[in-house]
C-alpha cells in the first residue's frame, strides 16, 4: 500500500492505485500533457484589468480538451430517468478527467469550478453511476473524481472568503483591491459549489424513488447504496487477507461521506444560508439511515481495534464530528420521548383559584394578550405592516410589526422594557457573549433558544434527531469502547497523523455522547427507544453503571482535559476552553454516577479518580483556577453554567465521600504514623483515610468562595427566566452554602456563648440586590410554581439585609464596594467592626492610661510628703512583696474579664432559615439588657463605686 493511502485526508492528489499502468496509453488527441507545453495560452474569461492571476483561470487548450472528454463520455437516452449509455473505453476518458483534476490548483480550483459550471456531476458522472452500477472499476474511478470535487476548501480559501477589503481612497491601490475581490469571489464560488454538490446528492431522483417504494427491498436502491455495495467484498476480508485495493476502496468511500457531511457550511453567516445548510445537513443524515450508510459506519466502528481497521480511526472521528456538530445532545435524547412534559409550562398554573376563573378580569386580559401575540407571530405576520427606517449614508432598514413578538415567542420571555431606544451596552457590560445559541440542558423548556431560527422544530429536524438517537444507542453499545480506545492510543503516543483540530473534535465527541447518555438514562429516553427497537437487553434503572463510557473515564483523560484548559487559557483560545470545560463538567457528572453505582469496580475507580483530583499532595483539580480566570464579555452563558454545574457536583461529591469515610477519621494520627502504615494497608483503605482527613469546608473557603465567584453566579441568576430550573436551584444552593458557612473566629477557646459568624454579608452587594429586586417585582413568575424557591430566597435575603441595615446603617455604603478579605469583612460586620485587634489596642491604651494616672497620683503624694521620686514605689514594693510579674498577671486577668463581658454583649447574627429565625430571641434595642454600652460615651448605670466608674470609662473608650 502506498504512502497516500496511509493519510486520512486526500491532498491535491486523490489516493489511487496504479490504474494508469493497467490501461492502454491514450490517443494523441486526448493527451492532456501536451497542452502544458503550449506557449501562448488564451484565457477562458476576459480579464477584469490588465493583470489577472493565472491561477484563477484555465488555459484555452485545456478547456478544449476537457470539453472533448466530457462530450464523449456518454450519451443521454432518457432525460427524465437520466439513463446514459457509456462510450467504449469510458474508463479511460474518466481517468483523463481525474488527471486534469489532480493538476488543479488546490487553493483556487479553476478546473473544479469549470466542471461545476458545465454540470458535469449531475449530467454525466452520477447518471453513469446509475447506469453502470455493476461495473466496479468504472464506479471506483468516478468515486475518485467525486472525492476530488467535493473535498473541503483550503485554509487560504477560507481566509480569502472572510477577507475584509478596505476600499477607502488612499488605503490600497486599485489593482490590489481588484485582486482581493477576485480572490474572495473565487473562495465564495468554491463554497457555493460544494453546497450544490451536497444538494445534488441529497435530492437525487434515485433516492426519492427508493423512499416512495412500499418495501425496502423493492427496486435497486439509491445512489449512495451503490457506493455502499462496493464495500461488501472488502469488509468481508480480515487480517492479511485484505489487500491494498480493498483498503483503497474503503478509504475512498469514507472520504466521500466525510466530504458530503462537511460541505455546505457558509463562511459568511447569513440567516437564510445558515438555515438552508442546517436543513440540508439533517436531510443528509436521514438519507444516510435509509441508504444504510450508518450501518456501514457501525460495522467498521465495532472492529476498530483490529489491525486492518486501525487506520480508519481518525477518519471515523471526523465523520462522527461532522454528523453531530449541529445537534444538541439533549434534544436528540428527548426526541424519542412521546410525551415530554414541560415542567415550566405545567407549573405555570395560578396558585390562587380565585384568579383562575373564566370570568375574572385577569384571565380575560391574558387571553386577549395571547391572541394578540398569536396573530402577530403567525407565519404571514410579515405582511402586517412594514416601516422603512432611514440611516446615515443612505442606508435603509425595514422593520415589521412582528419583530418584537417573534423574539419573545422564540425565547419564551416577555421584555419588561421596550427595545426601541435602549442604550447599547459596551463589551464591558456584556457579561455573556453568544446569546443566540444556548444548550437545551441549561434552558427552560419553553424558552429554548435555537441558533438562527425555528429550524429544529420541523419534521425534518425531528426525523434527523430520531435517526441520530437510534444511531447513538447502537454506537454506544457496539462501537464506543473500540473507537475511543483506538483514538486514545493516538493521543497517548502523540501520533504524527494527528492535526491541530483533532483534539477539539475528540473532546466534542466525548462530550456529546456523555451528555446524551446522561439525559437519555435519567429522563427515560434510552428505555423508550430500546422498547421500540425491540432490544432484548432491558435497562435496569436501579443500576447506575455508566456502561461503555467508562473507557473515557481514566486518569489519562482527566490529565488531557485539564492540561488542555491551561493551554487554551494561556493562548487565549476561549472557544476551545469552553469545549474542554464542558467535557470536564460531563466527566464530573459521570464520576458522581460511578461513585453511587452499584458496581464495586466503578466505585473503586471513582475513589481513585477523586484521590488524584482532590486528595493527593499535588491535586490536578482546576475548578478554583477556572472560576478565578473568568472575564466579563469573553465567555458564553453556557460556559458559566458549566462552571456552576462543575462546582455544585464537585462539592456534593466531596461531601458525600466525607460522610461515608467518617469511620476512618482519626484526629490523633499524625503524618508520620500514616507513612509507616501505608505499606500495611491496601490502596482503598489509604484513599478512604485521606478522604476522611480532607476538610471540605477548608477547600471551599480557601479555593471556591470569593467575591468573583459570587459575582459570576449573580450574573447567571439574572437570566432566571431563561435558566433551567436546575440552574436556578444550583445558584441558590451555592448562596445558601455561604449563608450557612461558619467563619472560624480568632478568639480564645475559653470564651463561651460566642455568636457564630457566617458569610451571609457577602450577599449584601449591589449587583445581587438589583437582581433580587427584579425577581421580586416580576409579576410574570409570581404564579409559576417552579420559581417558588427563587422567590423565597430573594425575599429572605432582602429581609435579612433590611434588618442588618437597621442595626448598622453603614451597610448601605458597604454594598457599593468589593472587600478584598470577605471573611474578615463578614466577621467585623457581624461584630459591629469590633475586632480582636481593636480590643487588644484598646486594652493596651487603657492600661497605659491607668498606669499614667496612678504614677501621677503617686508623684503628687510624694511631692506633698517630701519623699524623693521613686523611693515610695521601691518601699511599697518591698513591703507588699509585689514584683513586675505579679503586675502583669493582674493586667492579664483584667483583659480576660473584659473580653468575656464584651463578647457576651455582642448582638447575634441572623440565620438564613425562617423557621430558626422565629425561634431566636429578640435582639432589638428594647430587649437588650441594661448593662449595654452607649457608644456616645454615656453609661446607663450610675454607681458610686469607684471601681464601677473605672470599668465604665473603659467601655466608653471601646
Amino acid at each position: 500500500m502506498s504512502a497516500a493511502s496511509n493519510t486520512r485526508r486526500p491532498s491535491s492528489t486523490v489516493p489511487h492505485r496504479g490504474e494508469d499502468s493497467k490501461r492502454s496509453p491514450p490517443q494523441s488527441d486526448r493527451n492532456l500533457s501536451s497542452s502544458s507545453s503550449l506557449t501562448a495560452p488564451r484565457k477562458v474569461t476576459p480579464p477584469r484589468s490588465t493583470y489577472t492571476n493565472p491561477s484563477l483561470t484555465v488555459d484555452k487548450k485545456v478547456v478544449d480538451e476537457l470539453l472533448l472528454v466530457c462530450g464523449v463520455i456518454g450519451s443521454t437516452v432518457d432525460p427524465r430517468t437520466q439513463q446514459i449509455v457509456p462510450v467504449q473505453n469510458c474508463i479511460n476518458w474518466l481517468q483523463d478527467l481525474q488527471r486534469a483534476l489532480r493538476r488543479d490548483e488546490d487553493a483556487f480550483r479553476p478546473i473544479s469550478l469549470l466542471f461545476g459550471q458545465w454540470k458535469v456531476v449531475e449530467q454525466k458522472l452520477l447518471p453513469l453511476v446509475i447506469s453502470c452500477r455493476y461495473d466496479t472499476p468504472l464506479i471506483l474511478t468516478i468515486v475518485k473524481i467525486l472525492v476530488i470535487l467535493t473535498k473541503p476548501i483550503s485554509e487560504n480559501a477560507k481566509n480569502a472568503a472572510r477577507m475584509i477589503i478596505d476600499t477607502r481612497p488612499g488605503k490600497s491601490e486599485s489593482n490590489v483591491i481588484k485582486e482581493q475581490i477576485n480572490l474572495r469571489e473565487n473562495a465564495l464560488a468554491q463554497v457555493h459549489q460544494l453546497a450544490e454538490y451536497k444538494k445534488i446528492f441529497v435530492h437525487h431522483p434515485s433516492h426519492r424513488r427508493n423512499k416512495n417504494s412500499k418495501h425496502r427491498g423493492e427496486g435497486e436502491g439509491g445512489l449512495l447504496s451503490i457506493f455502499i455495495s462496493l464495500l461488501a467484498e472488502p469488509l468481508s476480508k480480515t487480517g492479511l487477507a485484505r489487500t491494498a485495493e480493498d483498503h483503497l476502496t474503503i478509504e475512498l468511500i469514507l472520504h466521500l461521506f466525510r466530504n458530503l457531511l462537511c460541505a455546505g457550511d457558509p463562511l459568511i453567516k447569513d440567516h437564510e444560508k445558515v438555515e438552508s445548510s442546517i436543513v440540508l445537513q439533517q436531510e443528509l443524515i436521514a438519507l444516510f439511515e435509509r441508504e444504510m450508510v450508518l450501518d456501514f459506519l457501525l460495522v467498521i466502528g465495532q472492529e476498530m481495534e483490529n489491525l486492518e481497521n486501525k487506520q480508519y480511526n481518525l477518519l471515523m472521528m471526523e465523520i462522527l464530528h461532522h454528523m453531530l456538530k449541529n445537534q444538541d445532545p439533549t434534544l436528540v435524547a428527548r426526541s424519542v420521548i412521546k410525551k415530554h412534559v414541560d415542567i415550566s409550562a405545567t407549573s405555570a398554573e395560578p396558585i390562587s383559584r380565585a384568579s383562575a376563573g373564566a370570568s375574572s378580569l385577569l384571565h380575560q386580559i391574558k387571553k386577549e394578550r395571547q391572541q394578540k401575540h398569536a396573530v402577530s407571530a403567525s407565519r404571514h405576520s410579515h405582511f402586517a405592516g412594514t416601516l422603512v427606517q432611514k440611516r446615515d449614508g443612505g442606508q435603509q432598514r425595514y422593520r415589521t410589526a412582528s419583530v418584537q413578538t417573534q423574539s419573545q415567542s422564540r425565547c419564551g420571555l416577555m421584555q419588561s422594557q421596550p427595545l426601541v431606544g435602549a442604550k447599547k451596552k459596551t463589551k464591558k457590560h456584556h457579561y455573556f457573549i453568544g446569546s443566540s445559541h444556548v444548550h437545551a440542558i441549561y434552558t427552560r423548556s419553553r424558552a429554548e433558544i435555537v441558533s438562527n431560527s425555528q429550524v429544529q422544530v420541523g419534521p425534518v429536524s425531528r426525523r434527523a434527531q430520531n435517526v441520530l438517537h437510534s444511531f447513538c444507542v447502537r454506537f454506544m453499545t457496539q462501537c464506543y469502547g473500540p473507537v475511543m480506545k483506538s483514538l486514545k492510543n493516538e493521543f497517548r503516543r502523540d501520533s504524527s497523523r494527528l492535526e491541530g483540530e483533532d483534539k477539539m473534535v475528540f473532546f466534542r465527541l466525548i462530550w456529546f455522547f456523555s451528555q446524551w447518555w446522561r439525559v437519555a438514562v435519567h429522563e427515560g429516553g434510552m428505555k423508550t427507544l430500546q422498547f421500540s427497537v425491540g432490544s432484548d437487553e432491558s435497562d435496569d434503572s436501579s443500576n447506575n453503571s455508566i456502561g461503555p463510557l467508562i473507557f473515557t473515564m481514566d486518569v489519562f483523560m482527566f490529565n488531557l482535559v485539564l492540561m488542555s484548559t491551561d493551554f487554551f487559557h494561556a493562548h487565549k483560545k476561549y472557544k476551545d476552553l469552553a469545549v474542554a470545560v464542558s467535557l470536564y463538567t460531563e466527566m464530573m457528572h459521570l464520576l458522581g454516577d460511578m461513585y453511587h453505582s452499584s458496581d464495586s469496580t466503578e466505585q473503586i475507580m471513582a475513589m481513585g479518580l477523586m484521590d488524584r483530583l482532590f486528595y493527593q499532595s499535588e491535586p490536578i483539580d482546576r475548578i478554583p483556577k477556572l472560576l478565578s480566570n473568568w472575564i466579563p464579555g469573553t465567555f458564553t452563558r453556557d460556559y458559566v453554567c458549566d462552571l456552576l454545574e462543575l462546582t455544585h457536583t464537585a462539592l456534593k461529591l466531596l461531601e458525600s465521600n466525607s460522610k461515608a469515610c467518617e469511620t476512618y477519621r482519626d484526629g490523633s494520627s499524625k503524618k508520620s504514623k500514616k507513612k509507616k502504615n501505608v505499606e500495611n494497608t491496601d490502596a482503598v483503605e489509604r484513599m478512604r483515610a485521606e478522604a476522611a482527613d480532607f476538610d471540605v469546608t477548608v477547600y471551599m473557603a480557601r479555593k471556591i468562595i470569593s467575591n468573583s465567584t459570587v459575582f459570576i453566579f449573580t450574573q447567571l441568576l439574572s437570566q432566571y427566566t431563561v435558566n433551567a430550573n436546575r440552574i436556578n436551584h444550583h445558584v441558590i444552593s451555592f448562596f445558601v452554602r455561604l449563608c450557612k458557612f461558619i467563619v472560624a473566629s480568632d478568639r480564645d477557646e475559653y470564651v463561651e456563648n460566642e455568636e457564630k459568624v457566617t458569610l451571609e454579608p457577602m450577599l449584601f452587594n449591589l449587583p445581587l440586590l438589583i437582581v433580587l429586586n427584579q425577581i421580586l417585582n416580576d409579576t410574570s413568575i409570581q404564579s409559576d410554581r417552579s420559581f417558588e424557591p427563587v422567590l423565597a430566597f430573594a425575599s429572605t435575603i432582602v429581609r435579612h439585609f433590611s434588618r442588618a441595615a437597621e442595626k448598622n446603617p453603614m451597610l448601605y455604603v458597604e454594598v457599593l464596594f468589593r472587600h478584598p478579605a470577605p471573611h474578615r469583612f463578614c466577621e467585623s460586620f457581624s461584630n459591629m467592626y469590633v475586632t480582636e485587634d481593636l480590643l487588644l489596642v484598646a486594652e493596651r491604651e487603657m492600661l497605659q492610661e491607668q498606669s499614667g494616672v496612678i504614677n501621677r497620683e503617686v508623684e503628687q503624694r510624694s511631692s506633698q510628703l517630701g519623699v524623693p521620686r521613686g523611693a515610695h514605689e521601691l518601699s511599697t514594693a518591698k513591703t507588699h512583696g509585689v514584683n513586675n510579674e505579679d503586675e502583669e498577671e493582674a493586667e492579664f486577668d483584667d483583659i480576660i474579664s473584659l473580653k468575656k463581658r464584651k463578647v457576651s454583649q455582642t448582638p447575634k447574627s441572623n440565620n438564613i432559615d425562617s423557621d430558626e429565625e422565629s425561634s431566636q430571641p429578640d435582639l432589638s434595642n428594647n430587649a437588650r439588657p441594661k448593662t449595654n454600652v452607649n457608644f456616645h460615651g454615656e453609661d446607663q448605670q450610675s454607681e458610686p463605686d469607684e471601681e464601677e466608674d473605672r470599668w465604665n470609662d473603659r467601655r466608653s473608650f471601646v
Side-chain angles (χ1 to χ4, degrees):
M1 185 169 55
S2 63
S5 62
N6 293 330
T7 59
R8 73 179 192 278
R9 294 179 178 86
S11 59
S12 59
T13 61
V14 69
H16 62 285
R17 292 294 181 275
E19 65 279 338
D20 296 338
S21 60
K22 298 181 181 180
R23 49 156 291 187
S24 60
Q27 301 177 3
S28 59
D29 57 345
R30 296 187 287 108
N31 191 1
L32 299 180
S33 61
S34 61
S35 62
S36 60
S37 61
L38 298 178
T39 58
R42 288 181 298 173
K43 309 302 179 183
V44 176
T45 57
R48 295 176 178 269
S49 61
T50 57
Y51 171 78
T52 304
N53 190 348
S55 300
L56 300 179
T57 57
V58 186
D59 295 341
K60 182 66 168 77
K61 293 296 184 180
V62 177
V63 173
D64 295 338
E65 295 290 339
L66 294 177
L67 283 173
L68 176 63
V69 173
C70 296
V72 300
I73 286 178
S75 57
T76 305
V77 177
D78 188 357
R80 185 177 59 84
T81 59
Q82 293 188 355
Q83 292 292 330
I84 190 172
V85 178
V87 73
Q88 188 178 5
N89 296 326
C90 180
I91 189 172
N92 296 334
W93 297 97
L94 293 174
Q95 289 172 356
D96 290 338
L97 289 181
Q98 180 185 349
R99 279 193 297 272
L101 289 172
R102 281 161 49 188
R103 297 190 185 97
D104 198 6
E105 185 70 26
D106 185 61
F108 309 108
R109 302 182 186 178
I111 298 179
S112 299
L113 295 178
L114 201 60
F115 283 179
Q117 295 176 7
W118 294 346
K119 298 183 179 181
V120 176
V121 174
E122 57 265 39
Q123 295 182 1
K124 295 293 183 179
L125 298 181
L126 297 186
L128 276 175
V129 174
I130 298 297
S131 303
C132 307
R133 63 173 64 217
Y134 300 109
D135 191 350
T136 303
L138 180 65
I139 301 298
L140 285 177
T141 305
I142 295 177
V143 170
K144 294 175 184 178
I145 297 175
L146 293 176
V147 168
I148 298 177
L149 290 174
T150 59
K151 67 180 178 180
I153 63 175
S154 61
E155 291 296 331
N156 294 332
K158 292 181 181 179
N159 297 333
R162 300 189 183 100
M163 181 171 48
I164 300 176
I165 302 174
D166 192 357
T167 58
R168 292 178 296 178
K171 293 296 181 180
S172 301
E173 298 180 359
S174 59
N175 57 347
V176 175
I177 294 176
K178 291 179 180 179
E179 183 67 19
Q180 291 177 348
I181 293 175
N182 293 337
L183 292 177
R184 187 175 64 177
E185 290 179 353
N186 176 267
L188 294 177
Q190 294 183 41
V191 176
H192 177 71
Q193 190 61 49
L194 291 178
E196 290 296 324
Y197 286 149
K198 185 175 184 178
K199 188 180 300 183
I200 290 171
F201 276 88
V202 173
H203 299 157
H204 197 265
S206 62
H207 296 148
R208 292 197 296 268
R209 290 195 300 267
N210 187 27
K211 182 179 178 181
N212 296 330
S213 61
K214 297 181 180 179
H215 303 285
R216 179 66 63 89
E218 184 178 342
E220 296 181 346
L223 177 65
L224 296 182
S225 63
I226 299 175
F227 299 141
I228 293 297
S229 63
L230 298 176
L231 302 172
E233 184 179 355
L235 292 178
S236 62
K237 302 177 183 179
T238 59
L240 298 178
R242 186 175 295 179
T243 62
E245 296 294 334
D246 298 333
H247 286 291
L248 173 62
T249 302
I250 297 174
E251 190 174 357
L252 281 173
I253 301 302
L254 286 175
H255 273 102
L256 179 60
F257 294 154
R258 191 278 309 266
N259 295 347
L260 291 177
L261 285 170
C262 66
D265 294 338
L267 297 179
I268 300 178
K269 300 301 181 181
D270 182 70
H271 175 74
E272 295 181 357
K273 293 182 179 179
V274 172
E275 182 177 348
S276 61
S277 66
I278 293 176
V279 173
L280 191 63
Q281 181 80 355
Q282 293 169 348
E283 291 178 351
L284 181 62
I285 293 174
L287 179 62
F288 277 2
E289 192 267 340
R290 294 197 306 268
E291 299 296 322
M292 301 180 67
V293 177
L294 300 181
D295 296 334
F296 159 65
L297 298 178
L298 293 173
V299 170
I300 295 182
Q302 63 187 357
E303 298 179 355
M304 189 60 68
E305 290 184 312
N306 296 342
L307 182 62
E308 64 272 11
N309 293 328
K310 282 185 177 180
Q311 56 183 332
Y312 310 133
N313 54 1
L314 296 178
L315 189 55
M316 174 71 73
M317 181 182 70
E318 284 192 42
I319 292 175
L320 294 175
H321 163 66
H322 290 295
M323 192 166 54
L324 303 174
K325 62 183 178 181
N326 292 327
Q327 301 294 332
D328 194 318
T330 302
L331 297 179
V332 172
R334 292 173 179 173
S335 61
V336 297
I337 303 177
K338 296 181 179 179
K339 296 181 180 180
H340 179 64
V341 181
D342 186 357
I343 300 177
S344 60
T346 56
S347 59
E349 302 174 355
I351 299 178
S352 59
R353 296 184 178 179
S355 61
S359 58
S360 62
L361 179 61
L362 180 61
H363 178 75
Q364 294 179 0
I365 294 175
K366 287 183 178 180
K367 187 175 180 180
E368 292 176 358
R369 187 177 302 172
Q370 291 176 359
Q371 292 177 355
K372 180 180 178 181
H373 290 167
V375 171
S376 60
S378 62
R379 73 170 66 181
H380 301 294
S381 58
H382 290 283
F383 301 100
T386 305
L387 174 66
V388 180
Q389 181 182 4
K390 295 185 178 180
R391 294 185 175 183
D392 298 337
Q395 297 181 355
Q396 296 180 351
R397 184 176 182 180
Y398 295 91
R399 293 183 176 273
T400 60
S402 60
V403 172
Q404 185 175 0
T405 55
Q406 283 180 354
S407 62
Q408 292 174 354
S409 62
R410 288 177 185 176
C411 302
L413 306 177
M414 298 300 296
Q415 298 287 342
S416 59
Q417 296 179 357
L419 298 178
V420 181
K423 185 178 179 180
K424 184 179 180 180
K425 294 184 178 180
T426 60
K427 182 180 179 181
K428 185 177 180 181
H429 296 86
H430 279 289
Y431 300 109
F432 306 129
I433 63 174
S435 58
S436 60
H437 180 77
V438 181
H439 291 156
I441 195 171
Y442 296 143
T443 313
R444 298 179 65 83
S445 299
R446 65 177 180 179
E448 291 176 356
I449 304 174
V450 182
S451 62
N452 306 309
S453 68
Q454 301 173 349
V455 173
Q456 296 193 4
V457 297
V460 177
S461 175
R462 286 194 294 267
R463 173 62 179 169
Q465 290 174 359
N466 291 335
V467 169
L468 286 178
H469 186 86
S470 176
F471 173 76
C472 289
V473 172
R474 300 170 62 187
F475 183 85
M476 183 67 68
T477 56
Q478 302 175 10
C479 310
Y480 186 84
V483 172
M484 292 304 167
K485 285 193 292 184
S486 179
L487 293 175
K488 279 169 53 179
N489 291 333
E490 297 288 341
F491 288 97
R492 183 180 284 111
R493 58 190 179 90
D494 195 13
S495 175
S496 59
R497 300 170 60 224
L498 294 174
E499 296 184 357
E501 297 295 329
D502 288 342
K503 183 183 291 186
M504 299 312 303
V505 172
F506 183 54
F507 286 172
R508 289 191 188 98
L509 283 182
I510 301 177
W511 165 80
F512 184 92
F513 285 107
S514 300
Q515 189 176 118
W516 168 84
W517 179 88
R518 182 160 59 94
V519 177
V521 171
H522 293 176
E523 297 187 8
M526 180 78 72
K527 186 175 181 180
T528 304
L529 183 74
Q530 288 180 354
F531 178 77
S532 62
V533 174
S535 177
D536 296 335
E537 298 178 0
S538 60
D539 187 16
D540 188 4
S541 59
S542 61
N543 189 3
N544 297 327
S545 176
I546 63 175
L549 290 172
I550 201 170
F551 290 105
T552 52
M553 290 294 295
D554 53 4
V555 179
F556 170 76
M557 281 301 305
F558 273 99
N559 285 328
L560 184 63
V561 173
L562 298 180
M563 291 176 64
S564 299
T565 57
D566 298 338
F567 177 81
F568 294 148
H569 183 268
H571 293 77
K572 297 183 179 180
K573 296 181 178 181
Y574 298 120
K575 291 184 179 180
D576 298 340
L577 178 61
V579 176
V581 172
S582 300
L583 177 57
Y584 187 21
T585 304
E586 294 300 327
M587 293 176 69
M588 192 61 65
H589 281 291
L590 293 177
L591 183 60
D593 294 337
M594 290 173 60
Y595 181 80
H596 296 95
S597 175
S598 58
D599 190 356
S600 59
T601 304
E602 291 189 2
Q603 293 180 0
I604 296 175
M605 292 181 62
M607 287 290 297
L609 292 174
M610 292 175 61
D611 180 71
R612 187 68 185 91
L613 285 172
F614 303 105
Y615 301 144
Q616 289 189 3
S617 58
E618 295 181 0
I620 62 175
D621 177 36
R622 294 294 191 278
I623 298 178
K625 189 173 183 180
L626 293 173
L627 290 172
S628 61
N629 290 337
W630 182 79
I631 304 174
T634 306
F635 300 98
T636 60
R637 172 183 166 274
D638 291 336
Y639 178 82
V640 180
C641 292
D642 289 328
L643 291 181
L644 175 64
E645 290 281 321
L646 190 60
T647 305
H648 179 81
T649 307
L651 292 176
K652 188 176 180 180
L653 186 60
L654 290 174
E655 290 177 351
S656 301
N657 193 28
S658 178
K659 292 180 182 179
C661 299
E662 286 182 354
T663 57
Y664 296 89
R665 183 176 290 110
D666 187 8
S668 61
S669 61
K670 297 182 180 180
K671 294 183 178 180
S672 59
K673 294 183 180 180
K674 291 181 181 179
K675 292 181 180 179
K676 294 179 181 179
N677 296 331
V678 164
E679 298 178 356
N680 299 328
T681 57
D682 58 350
V684 178
E685 297 296 330
R686 179 187 60 80
M687 290 186 295
R688 290 178 178 175
E690 292 180 355
D693 295 336
F694 184 81
D695 195 347
V696 183
T697 57
V698 174
Y699 170 79
M700 183 177 177
R702 293 182 179 179
K703 297 185 178 182
I704 302 297
I705 297 176
S706 64
N707 291 322
S708 177
T709 307
V710 175
F711 180 76
I712 293 172
F713 295 156
T714 298
Q715 299 304 321
L716 184 59
L717 185 62
S718 64
Q719 308 288 329
Y720 61 94
T721 52
V722 182
N723 296 336
N725 294 332
R726 57 200 306 270
I727 296 298
N728 292 333
H729 170 72
H730 291 169
V731 174
I732 294 174
S733 177
F734 180 80
F735 288 158
V736 171
R737 285 178 184 270
L738 297 183
C739 298
K740 294 183 178 181
F741 188 89
I742 300 175
V743 180
S745 177
D746 296 334
R747 299 180 184 276
D748 298 330
E749 296 180 357
Y750 54 79
V751 179
E752 298 179 357
N753 298 327
E754 182 181 3
E755 184 64 26
K756 296 179 180 179
V757 179
T758 64
L759 295 179
E760 186 181 7
M762 288 186 65
L763 303 182
F764 299 155
N765 58 81
L766 188 60
L768 181 58
L769 293 176
I770 292 176
V771 173
L772 297 181
N773 177 65
Q774 182 181 359
I775 292 173
L776 294 175
N777 293 326
D778 192 352
T779 58
S780 62
I781 65 173
Q782 299 295 329
S783 59
D784 196 339
R785 296 184 183 274
S786 62
F787 286 101
E788 288 182 358
V790 180
L791 294 172
F793 170 78
S795 59
T796 302
I797 295 299
V798 172
R799 182 172 65 251
H800 289 183
F801 171 78
S802 61
R803 292 180 181 178
E806 289 178 359
K807 297 178 182 179
N808 186 6
M810 282 295 296
L811 185 58
Y812 292 110
V813 182
E814 299 286 1
V815 298
L816 302 177
F817 304 98
R818 285 189 182 184
H819 302 277
H823 299 77
R824 290 182 176 272
F825 163 71
C826 294
E827 186 177 2
S828 62
F829 175 80
S830 301
N831 296 328
M832 291 296 185
Y833 305 104
V834 180
T835 61
E836 184 70 17
D837 297 336
L838 183 60
L839 286 176
L840 293 177
V841 171
E843 288 295 335
R844 185 181 63 181
E845 293 181 355
M846 282 190 296
L847 291 175
Q848 290 178 356
E849 183 181 358
Q850 183 180 5
S851 62
V853 172
I854 294 175
N855 291 335
R856 287 194 297 270
E857 291 178 357
V858 170
E859 289 178 358
Q860 292 177 1
R861 292 179 183 179
S862 300
S863 60
Q864 293 176 2
L865 297 175
V867 181
R869 185 176 183 179
H872 178 74
E873 296 179 0
L874 181 61
S875 60
T876 305
K878 290 182 179 180
T879 54
H880 296 282
V882 179
N883 52 16
N884 294 332
E885 295 180 358
D886 296 338
E887 292 179 359
E888 292 178 358
E889 292 179 358
E891 293 176 358
F892 185 71
D893 295 338
D894 293 340
I895 294 174
I896 293 176
S897 60
L898 181 61
K899 285 183 180 180
K900 292 182 178 181
R901 299 185 62 181
K902 290 297 180 184
V903 170
S904 61
Q905 294 175 4
T906 56
K908 298 183 179 180
S909 61
N910 297 329
N911 197 350
I912 187 65
D913 296 330
S914 58
D915 298 336
E916 296 179 5
E917 185 182 63
S918 59
S919 62
Q920 290 182 355
D922 188 7
L923 297 180
S924 60
N925 296 329
N926 298 330
R928 291 180 179 176
K930 294 183 179 181
T931 58
N932 248 356
V933 180
N934 191 345
F935 286 92
H936 294 284
E938 298 179 1
D939 192 4
Q940 295 182 1
Q941 292 182 352
S942 58
E943 295 291 340
D945 191 4
E946 184 179 357
E947 187 67 18
E948 186 67 19
D949 293 335
R950 183 178 300 172
W951 283 108
N952 291 334
D953 292 337
R954 294 182 183 179
R955 294 172 190 156
S956 302
F957 182 80
V958 176

